[in-house]
Amino acid sequence: MSRYLLGIDQGTTSSRAILVDHNGHVVDIEQQDFAQHYPQSGWVEHQPEDLWQSVLQCCSTLVRRHQLSAADLTGIGITNQRETTLLWDKDTGQPVYNAIVWQDRRTAEYCQQLAEDNPGLEARIQAKTGLLLDPYFCASKIHWVLENVKGARDRAAQGQLLFGTVETYLLWKLTGGKCHCTDASNASRTLLFDIHAQEWDEELLVLFNIPRTLLPEVHDNASDFGHTQSDLLGGPVPILAMAGDQQAALVGQGCFSPGMAKSTYGTGCFVMVNTGEQALYSQHRLLTTVAYRIEGKVTYALEGSIFMAGATIQWLRDGLNLIQQAGESEALAREVGTEHDVILVPAFTGLGAPYWDPDARGAILGLTRDTGIKEIVSAGLQSVCYQSKDLQKAMEADGVRPTDWRVDGGMVSNDWLMQFLADMLGANVRRSNVAETTALGAAYLAGLQAGVFTSLAHISQLWKEDKAFTPEISKADRDRLYRHWQEGVRRIQTRSD
Ligand code: ADP
């Protein structure tokens, strides 16, 4: 009798594998870091072999440590860093180029030129894909490889090459080249997928000059994706689920009803709110995306991101040397509280949603002779909450008010931060008792496909709260503090549209 689900989380800086039992409990985790490559300013690459080997080793280590046979594994769920783009030869498996990572900006000029040459294109792209015409997504990255790697365009035209985001590449490797498939959530991040029709879009393929033969088949998130090759994990193991990392976290956090949101506070912060069957269009440059597709039924989400969340605390630590460890920020902030006049606007790389001002730069405002380290650290933490409030307001303006904020990521161990977040949002903030919500979500989806879990409602019952934070300040105080932040933002904006 099989006993465990295996969740694979192939992330931007590390790969992880978790073992989950049939009660939905995490039994063990294995993690491995791998190298980042920065060949030029603004370029970020991973070596495909590093992604594959780190995943394989994490899985093998868990199998060895728990003395498992393939028959002990009910199935595998894969989640992944989204939008990172790979092309490889369909016969030899040889990658055509390194994986171009989501953060990579090499196609910025190309995207800008496309927008200038094609009036109305951005609106059409948003209507079809829910996304923006931006280098972040796969389409311009595929185009770059085809144009810049010698012979790639010809080989693609001959049907010799395959494209995939990381989950597709891993699946192809795990199945020994038998399965070239993706899932609806990852497909929805390529800029080539019509999220309403749920199919690759011919107009966009022509626009980016990408042959259709490159593209994987799109499955539901919980689906039969084939079996692992026998020699990898001691026998064939079924692969039963795939989902992009933020979508998998939404599942791991049990956010299955419209209005439920998960917010991940790591280096940056990603907020995703379930909008049910409705694909809401953003007027504030939030993204509309597929949350998950189960038994052919699509659930949509609205997504917003903050560039600088934990990264601000890293800067206070490594840039300014105000603290030795990120965790020290809590005690310092607690001493000084929220009622000081210092505002830290961490626009180190510009302002994201809803301001969208890439040329703005950061500032610390409201300094007086008695300002000290505590006030600046407190202001750094507060900036994460104010930016979350900005996203909440953008989401509200776009038609959805998140009811429940389920949080995860490295920053959420900071109770002071979580309390101020609840105060600022005027909503309950609930911390999950599992830190690894992303890998857990992938394992849950595999369990759903295997019938270990009977429904999403069943999975939602597995979610356990570690601690809830409820708003403690008055609306007047909230509004006053938030206005102060907005004034700070206005001082550094380079544009006001
Ligand atoms: P990622 O997955 O993006 O690498 P993690 O989820 O591991 O990030 O979170 C690490 C981030 O959280 C770091 O940027 C760190 O500064 C921040 N962090 C960790 N602990 C705390 C804390 N107690 N208070 C504030 N920030 C913290």
Coordinates of all heavy atoms in Angstrom, one line a residue, residues 13 16 264-268 309-314 317 326-330 381 408-414 417, ligand 1:
T13 N 16.1 30.0 -6.2 CA 17.4 29.8 -5.6 C 17.7 28.4 -5.1 O 18.8 28.1 -4.8 CB 17.7 30.8 -4.5 OG1 16.7 30.6 -3.5 CG2 17.6 32.3 -5.0
R16 N 13.4 22.0 -3.6 CA 13.0 21.2 -2.4 C 12.2 20.1 -2.8 O 11.5 20.0 -3.8 CB 12.2 22.1 -1.5 CG 12.9 23.3 -0.9 CD 12.0 24.3 -0.3 NE 12.7 25.6 -0.3 CZ 12.4 26.6 0.4 NH1 11.4 26.6 1.2 NH2 13.1 27.7 0.3
T264 N 2.5 35.8 0.4 CA 3.8 35.2 0.7 C 4.8 36.3 1.0 O 5.1 37.1 0.1 CB 4.3 34.2 -0.4 OG1 3.3 33.2 -0.6 CG2 5.6 33.6 -0.1
Y265 N 5.4 36.4 2.2 CA 6.4 37.4 2.5 C 7.8 36.8 2.6 O 8.2 36.3 3.6 CB 6.0 38.1 3.8 CG 4.7 38.9 3.7 CD1 3.5 38.3 4.0 CD2 4.7 40.2 3.3 CE1 2.3 39.0 3.8 CE2 3.6 40.9 3.1 CZ 2.4 40.3 3.3 OH 1.2 41.0 3.2
G266 N 8.5 36.8 1.4 CA 9.9 36.4 1.4 C 10.7 37.6 1.0 O 10.5 38.7 1.5
T267 N 11.6 37.4 0.1 CA 12.4 38.5 -0.5 C 11.5 39.6 -1.0 O 11.6 40.7 -0.6 CB 13.3 38.0 -1.6 OG1 14.0 36.8 -1.1 CG2 14.3 39.0 -2.1
G268 N 10.6 39.2 -1.8 CA 9.5 40.0 -2.3 C 8.2 39.5 -1.7 O 8.2 38.6 -0.8
A309 N 10.1 43.3 0.0 CA 9.5 42.9 1.3 C 10.7 42.6 2.3 O 11.3 43.5 2.8 CB 8.5 41.8 1.2
G310 N 11.0 41.3 2.4 CA 12.2 40.9 3.2 C 13.5 41.6 2.7 O 14.4 41.8 3.5
A311 N 13.5 41.9 1.4 CA 14.7 42.5 0.9 C 15.0 43.9 1.5 O 16.2 44.3 1.7 CB 14.6 42.7 -0.7
T312 N 14.0 44.5 2.0 CA 14.2 45.8 2.7 C 14.9 45.5 4.1 O 15.8 46.3 4.5 CB 12.8 46.5 3.0 OG1 12.1 46.6 1.8 CG2 13.0 47.8 3.7
I313 N 14.5 44.4 4.7 CA 15.1 44.1 6.0 C 16.6 43.6 5.7 O 17.5 43.9 6.5 CB 14.3 43.0 6.7 CG1 12.8 43.4 6.8 CG2 14.9 42.7 8.1 CD1 12.6 44.8 7.4
Q314 N 16.8 42.9 4.6 CA 18.2 42.6 4.2 C 19.0 43.8 4.0 O 20.2 43.8 4.5 CB 18.2 41.8 2.9 CG 17.8 40.3 3.0 CD 17.6 39.7 1.7 OE1 17.8 40.3 0.6 NE2 17.0 38.5 1.7
R317 N 20.0 45.3 7.2 CA 21.0 44.4 7.9 C 22.4 44.6 7.1 O 23.4 44.9 7.8 CB 20.5 43.0 7.8 CG 21.4 42.0 8.6 CD 21.1 40.6 8.2 NE 21.2 40.3 6.8 CZ 20.8 39.2 6.2 NH1 20.1 38.3 6.8 NH2 21.0 39.0 4.9
A326 N 17.8 39.4 10.7 CA 16.5 39.9 10.3 C 15.6 39.8 11.5 O 14.8 40.8 11.8 CB 15.9 39.1 9.2
G327 N 15.7 38.8 12.3 CA 14.8 38.6 13.5 C 14.9 39.7 14.5 O 13.9 39.9 15.3
E328 N 16.0 40.4 14.6 CA 16.2 41.4 15.6 C 15.2 42.6 15.3 O 15.0 43.4 16.2 CB 17.6 42.0 15.5 CG 18.7 41.1 16.1 CD 20.1 41.6 15.8 OE1 20.2 42.9 15.6 OE2 21.0 40.8 15.7
S329 N 14.8 42.7 14.1 CA 13.9 43.8 13.7 C 12.7 43.9 14.6 O 12.1 44.9 14.9 CB 13.5 43.8 12.3 OG 12.8 42.6 12.0
E330 N 12.2 42.7 15.1 CA 11.0 42.6 15.8 C 11.1 43.4 17.2 O 10.2 44.2 17.5 CB 10.6 41.2 16.0 CG 9.3 41.0 16.9 CD 8.6 39.7 16.8 OE1 9.1 38.8 16.1 OE2 7.6 39.5 17.4
L381 N 9.8 47.8 8.4 CA 8.8 46.7 8.5 C 7.4 47.3 8.1 O 6.7 46.7 7.4 CB 8.7 46.2 10.0 CG 9.9 45.4 10.5 CD1 9.8 45.1 11.9 CD2 10.0 44.1 9.7
D408 N 2.4 33.3 4.5 CA 3.5 32.4 4.7 C 4.8 33.1 4.2 O 4.7 34.3 3.8 CB 3.3 31.1 3.9 CG 2.9 31.4 2.4 OD1 3.6 32.1 1.8 OD2 1.8 30.9 2.0
G409 N 5.9 32.4 4.3 CA 7.2 33.0 3.9 C 8.0 33.4 5.1 O 7.5 33.4 6.3
G410 N 9.3 33.7 4.9 CA 10.3 33.9 6.0 C 9.9 35.0 7.0 O 10.2 35.0 8.1
M411 N 9.2 36.1 6.5 CA 9.0 37.2 7.3 C 7.8 37.0 8.4 O 7.7 37.8 9.3 CB 8.6 38.5 6.5 CG 9.6 39.0 5.6 SD 9.1 40.6 4.9 CE 9.8 41.7 6.1
V412 N 7.0 36.0 8.1 CA 5.8 35.9 8.9 C 6.0 35.4 10.3 O 5.1 35.4 11.2 CB 4.6 35.1 8.2 CG1 4.4 35.6 6.8 CG2 5.0 33.6 8.2
S413 N 7.3 35.0 10.6 CA 7.6 34.6 12.0 C 7.6 35.9 12.9 O 7.7 35.8 14.1 CB 8.9 33.9 12.1 OG 9.9 34.7 11.6
N414 N 7.7 37.1 12.3 CA 7.7 38.3 13.0 C 6.3 38.8 13.4 O 5.5 39.3 12.7 CB 8.4 39.4 12.1 CG 8.6 40.7 12.8 OD1 7.8 41.1 13.6 ND2 9.7 41.3 12.4
L417 N 5.3 42.5 13.0 CA 4.9 42.7 11.6 C 3.5 42.3 11.3 O 2.8 43.0 10.6 CB 6.0 42.1 10.7 CG 5.8 42.2 9.2 CD1 6.1 43.6 8.7 CD2 6.7 41.2 8.5
Ligands
ADP1 P1 12.8 33.6 -0.2 O1 12.0 32.4 -0.3 O2 12.3 34.8 -1.1 O3 14.3 33.4 -0.3 P2 12.2 33.5 2.6 O4 10.7 33.1 2.6 O5 13.2 32.4 3.0 O6 12.6 34.2 1.3 O7 12.3 34.7 3.6 C1 13.5 35.4 3.8 C2 13.3 36.9 4.0 O8 12.6 37.1 5.2 C3 14.6 37.6 4.1 O9 14.6 38.7 3.2 C4 14.7 38.1 5.5 O10 15.2 39.5 5.5 C5 13.2 38.2 5.9 N1 13.0 37.8 7.4 C6 13.3 36.6 7.9 N2 13.0 36.6 9.2 C7 12.5 37.8 9.5 C8 11.9 38.5 10.7 N3 11.8 37.8 11.8 N4 11.5 39.7 10.5 C9 11.6 40.4 9.4 N5 12.1 39.8 8.2 C10 12.5 38.6 8.3

